[in-house]
Amino acid sequence: MTSKSKKRKMVEAIERRGCLLVYPLQNQKEPSSLWSELYPRSEMVWGWDSDADNRVGEMWVMREELSRSEEVVYAKWFRNRATFFSKKLFINLLAYLGTSKGLIHLPKASQEALDSFLMDSPQSTKIIKENLGWQGKMMESHYNRAMKPLWNYLFIVGFGEVDDSSFPSLNMAATQTLFEDLWLQSQDISEEKAEVFLLKTLGEKNLFMKYAKRVHDSAKTLEDRTPLR
């Protein structure tokens, strides 16, 4: 199978399943992953040396290319892991969480980071830290805490990588900017209709659905889900 056909199969799997991790968690069947879709009978073994399974590294490269394709949506979402969404599921997830409707009250540092992305997207990890003055090991935990709500509520998405340090750095963009059409469409879907769609697509016992519900419910402790605009 060529790289092009593999990427097409990955997109088709994401659109069919709605939501997929890139790699399986400890080779468990759930939650579903792109690896299990492409190689259902192969256990994934982490390795990057000359003796490693080259499919692991190949999938990481295809992940980066897919994240830039805009055919699907990429984010560090489920338990802060690389996650792909179909556009239809992503729209409904935004509506269910209340992200695009001004229902989420972000912590101050998270709002500062989001404001920076809204002014300029995409930005790499290195650039966003520089722009906000969050460089250095002392600020690493502050950065991670600030970014977590942005990923959880899908205020930001991943968009390829850039070589701006010793390792490639993830490019991040404000969802409202990069996927403005999806952002606006989600505003016309009620939370109730979005939940029905997610339950029908994923299933009540699906781990992605359970995670979405946990993120959804945690928003109530932030601001009682009252619109901020």
Side-chain angles (χ1 to χ4, degrees), residues 30-108:
E30 297 294 338
S32 302
S33 67
L34 284 171
W35 177 273
S36 60
E37 288 288 327
L38 260 66
Y39 313 114
R41 290 176 293 277
S42 296
E43 181 176 302
M44 196 206 78
V45 179
W46 281 107
W48 302 93
D49 56 26
S50 58
D51 297 324
D53 186 340
N54 61 11
R55 295 177 299 178
V56 176
E58 180 185 49
M59 179 161 284
W60 192 249
V61 172
M62 290 191 291
R63 166 209 61 93
E64 193 274 340
E65 294 174 357
L66 272 187
S67 73
R68 286 187 283 107
S69 71
E70 297 187 41
E71 292 185 78
V72 290
V73 183
Y74 175 73
K76 291 173 66 177
W77 187 66
F78 182 83
R79 300 180 188 174
N80 202 40
R81 287 174 168 83
T83 311
F84 275 106
F85 307 89
S86 70
K87 287 186 174 181
K88 193 168 185 179
L89 188 131
F90 188 75
I91 291 169
N92 281 273
L93 191 52
L94 285 176
Y96 176 62
L97 298 177
T99 304
S100 61
K101 301 175 183 178
L103 300 179
I104 310 299
H105 178 73
L106 290 170
K108 182 179 178 181

Side-chain angles (χ1 to χ4, degrees), residues 1-220:
M1 189 184 299
T2 66
S3 178
K4 184 176 180 180
S5 61
K6 285 180 182 178
K7 282 187 283 187
R8 175 44 49 192
K9 188 173 181 179
M10 289 167 74
V11 170
E12 290 172 352
I14 295 164
E15 291 178 341
R16 183 177 67 256
R17 302 295 293 271
C19 188
L20 289 172
L21 294 179
V22 175
Y23 297 112
L25 298 180
Q26 300 176 335
N27 282 299
Q28 296 177 10
K29 185 177 180 180
E30 297 294 338
S32 302
S33 67
L34 284 171
W35 177 273
S36 60
E37 288 288 327
L38 260 66
Y39 313 114
R41 290 176 293 277
S42 296
E43 181 176 302
M44 196 206 78
V45 179
W46 281 107
W48 302 93
D49 56 26
S50 58
D51 297 324
D53 186 340
N54 61 11
R55 295 177 299 178
V56 176
E58 180 185 49
M59 179 161 284
W60 192 249
V61 172
M62 290 191 291
R63 166 209 61 93
E64 193 274 340
E65 294 174 357
L66 272 187
S67 73
R68 286 187 283 107
S69 71
E70 297 187 41
E71 292 185 78
V72 290
V73 183
Y74 175 73
K76 291 173 66 177
W77 187 66
F78 182 83
R79 300 180 188 174
N80 202 40
R81 287 174 168 83
T83 311
F84 275 106
F85 307 89
S86 70
K87 287 186 174 181
K88 193 168 185 179
L89 188 131
F90 188 75
I91 291 169
N92 281 273
L93 191 52
L94 285 176
Y96 176 62
L97 298 177
T99 304
S100 61
K101 301 175 183 178
L103 300 179
I104 310 299
H105 178 73
L106 290 170
K108 182 179 178 181
S110 301
Q111 187 63 55
E112 288 177 3
L114 178 58
D115 289 343
S116 181
F117 284 119
L118 288 171
M119 286 189 293
D120 183 22
S121 280
Q123 294 185 52
S124 69
T125 304
K126 178 182 178 181
I127 296 302
I128 187 66
K129 286 181 177 180
E130 289 178 353
N131 287 342
L132 296 172
W134 293 351
Q135 306 103 311
K137 291 184 179 179
M138 294 290 289
M139 296 298 292
E140 190 65 24
S141 60
H142 177 81
Y143 170 79
N144 290 331
R145 284 195 303 271
M147 296 297 288
K148 186 174 181 179
L150 300 185
W151 286 121
N152 268 344
Y153 295 104
L154 301 171
F155 281 102
I156 60 173
V157 293
F159 189 68
E161 293 179 340
V162 60
D163 292 322
D164 62 2
S165 59
S166 55
F167 294 99
S169 178
L170 178 64
N171 248 349
M172 298 165 283
T175 304
Q176 186 177 349
T177 301
L178 185 63
F179 290 108
E180 182 181 12
D181 57 333
L182 307 186
W183 185 269
L184 293 175
Q185 287 176 55
S186 71
Q187 294 176 345
D188 294 329
I189 303 173
S190 69
E191 180 182 316
E192 293 73 22
K193 286 185 177 180
E195 183 176 17
V196 169
F197 176 87
L198 294 173
L199 286 169
K200 182 179 179 180
T201 303
L202 299 174
E204 186 176 4
K205 296 182 179 180
N206 181 278
L207 293 181
F208 292 125
M209 186 67 221
K210 289 182 177 180
Y211 189 77
K213 188 176 188 310
R214 189 155 61 247
V215 174
H216 168 276
D217 292 346
S218 70
K220 295 180 180 180

